[in-house]
Amino acid sequence: MNRFLPLIAILALSGCATSEKTYLGNGETGLSIDCSGEANSWASCYEKADASCAGTGYRIVGTDGTPSTKESDKTLGVDVGNYKNRSVVVVCK
């Protein structure tokens, strides 16, 4: 069992963006992409959008995320212990 603990830790920290189908108010079908957490970034949201739209391109409908921490609120210059929320809604072209 002890051999698997480092593997489990790596998988937990690696993270990945997830997407699910959503319907917009105007009837369009879009994708809601979640790329929250320390291991992800806004770039991972956009990479997932590009991959999900099979290279046809996409239009960003909305974004939502945790604001960046002010430098004065960081511990030794690092944002410690704050979970980062990031999500974007896109419509494939």
Side-chain angles (χ1 to χ4, degrees):
M1 180 64 182
N2 289 338
R3 290 184 285 178
F4 296 111
L5 289 178
L7 178 61
I8 293 170
I10 290 171
L11 291 175
L13 291 175
S14 64
C16 61
T18 60
S19 66
E20 62 182 46
K21 187 186 260 186
T22 188
Y23 297 96
L24 307 178
N26 63 3
E28 283 185 293
T29 302
L31 290 172
S32 176
I33 301 171
D34 179 33
C35 47
S36 300
E38 283 298 318
N40 287 317
S41 65
W42 283 108
S44 61
C45 278
Y46 302 129
E47 289 168 7
K48 181 69 172 182
D50 194 41
S52 297
C53 291
T56 61
Y58 58 89
R59 174 174 48 95
I60 298 173
V61 178
T63 60
D64 187 30
T66 306
S68 297
T69 306
K70 296 182 288 186
E71 285 298 320
S72 61
D73 292 337
K74 293 181 179 180
T75 304
L76 298 174
V78 179
D79 186 13
V80 177
N82 291 323
Y83 186 77
K84 308 268 189 306
N85 290 312
R86 292 179 208 87
S87 63
V88 63
V89 177
V90 299
V91 174
C92 296
K93 293 182 180 179

